[in-house]
């Protein structure tokens, strides 16, 4: 079961008042040196920063990060998360799975074989470990990272491992949200945001909706927009 207190609106500026201390790490990767360019992840990161700040989060935002930068950002997030009540991680960009493990793809990744993924990418579990050790009461992980794997064609061996993301076990008090179901891919979107983030942004600031109801509405929206 997942429970999170709903914030209450305060003024016409759209901000909320909350006694919770909330910290978010937001990363958007669009410009890949060896994996092409995605239209919307950087836009998604910027939009999420704005939305989360209105909800009382302190936001650490990064754009177009190489592997070293992503690792440093996650480690710094973990250090700062000590003493916070709510932690949130949002990632938009290329993500892939190999043998049931999920990886965030840095902009400098050049992956010629599946066995190079763990060395050239960043395991998503790194974020969960930092959240769990910080003792925050509530943790949210939002992965809009299910786009097609741009490296898979060059892999000498592929059993479809690189498509979409795999299911991850969430620590107690945590929720992990994916842009689509395990093993499937989601659209980068034709507008200013990715399809999933676009739906998320329309629901995230509704103070009368619980966290679970919000994600259910997002899933419904995304399903309708993508014909299932």
């Amino acid at each position: 079961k997942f429970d999170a207190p709903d914030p209450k609106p305060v003024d016409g500026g759209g901000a909320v008042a909350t006694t919770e201390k909330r910290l978010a790490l937001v990363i958007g990767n669009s410009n890949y040196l060896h994996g092409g360019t995605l239209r919307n992840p950087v836009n998604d990161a910027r939009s999420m920063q704005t939305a989360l700040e209105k909800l009382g989060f302190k936001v650490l935002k990064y754009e177009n990060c190489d592997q070293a930068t992503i690792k440093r950002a996650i480690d710094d997030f973990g250090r700062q998360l000590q003493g916070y009540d709510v932690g949130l991680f949002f990632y938009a960009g290329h993500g892939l799975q190999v043998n049931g493990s999920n990886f965030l793809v840095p902009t400098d990744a050049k992956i010629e074989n599946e066995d190079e993924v763990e060395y050239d990418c960043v395991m998503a579990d790194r974020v969960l470990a930092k959240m769990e050790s910080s003792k925050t009461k509530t943790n949210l992980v939002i992965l809009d990272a299910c786009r097609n794997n741009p490296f898979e064609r060059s892999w000498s061996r592929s059993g479809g491992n690189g498509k979409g993301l795999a299911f991850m076990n969430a620590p107690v008090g945590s929720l992990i949200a994916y842009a689509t179901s395990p093993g499937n891919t989601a659209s980068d979107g034709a507008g200013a945001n990715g399809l999933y983030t676009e739906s998320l942004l329309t629901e995230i600031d509704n103070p009368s909706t619980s966290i679970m109801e919000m994600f259910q509405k997002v899933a419904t929206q995304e399903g309708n927009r993508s014909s299932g």
Side-chain angles (χ1 to χ4, degrees):
K1 182 180 178 181
F2 180 91
D3 295 302
D6 289 321
K8 297 180 180 179
V10 284
D11 55 38
V16 299
T18 177
T19 57
E20 293 178 331
K21 294 184 65 180
R22 302 173 175 179
L23 181 67
L25 172 60
V26 173
I27 297 176
N29 279 353
S30 288
N31 300 326
Y32 286 86
L33 297 178
H34 308 286
T37 299
L38 293 171
R39 177 188 301 148
N40 284 322
V42 166
N43 294 339
D44 294 342
R46 294 172 182 175
S47 296
M48 284 298 296
Q49 178 185 22
T50 299
L52 291 171
E53 286 177 344
K54 288 181 179 179
L55 294 172
F57 281 86
K58 175 184 175 182
V59 179
L60 312 173
K61 180 179 67 67
Y62 294 80
E63 299 177 3
N64 293 318
C65 301
D66 58 20
Q67 185 189 47
T69 302
I70 293 179
K71 287 183 175 180
R72 284 198 302 268
I74 292 173
D75 292 349
D76 181 54
F77 174 61
R79 284 189 293 269
Q80 292 197 44
L81 204 51
Q82 304 288 336
Y84 277 83
D85 301 304
V86 180
L88 185 148
F89 176 69
F90 173 87
Y91 173 80
H94 279 306
L96 51 86
Q97 61 152 311
V98 173
N99 298 324
S101 294
N102 292 326
F103 295 87
L104 313 178
V105 183
T107 56
D108 60 341
K110 187 177 182 181
I111 310 167
E112 297 180 354
N113 280 289
E114 273 187 34
D115 56 15
E116 298 175 1
V117 169
E118 65 177 300
Y119 303 106
D120 289 359
C121 297
V122 179
M123 188 174 282
D125 283 348
R126 189 184 188 102
V127 179
L128 291 175
K130 295 296 182 182
M131 287 176 155
E132 193 167 17
S133 64
S134 71
K135 307 300 182 184
T136 45
K137 293 187 297 184
T138 302
N139 292 305
L140 305 172
V141 174
I142 304 172
L143 300 174
D144 193 351
C146 306
R147 296 157 173 88
N148 287 326
N149 176 4
F151 305 102
E152 193 171 16
R153 287 184 182 178
S154 66
W155 290 358
S156 59
R157 173 181 59 87
S158 178
N161 276 342
K163 293 181 179 179
L165 297 179
F167 176 80
M168 294 163 59
N169 289 317
V172 175
S174 301
L175 184 149
I176 304 174
Y178 305 87
T180 190
S181 56
N184 290 324
T185 56
S187 171
D188 192 32
N193 293 108
L195 185 65
Y196 182 75
T197 299
E198 182 181 11
S199 300
L200 181 61
L201 290 168
T202 65
E203 301 290 348
I204 198 170
D205 61 352
N206 184 348
S208 63
T209 303
S210 73
I211 189 75
M212 293 303 296
E213 290 170 340
M214 182 199 75
F215 279 115
Q216 289 166 355
K217 288 183 177 181
V218 169
T220 299
Q221 270 201 48
E222 186 182 25
N224 291 338
R225 291 176 176 178
S226 63
S227 299

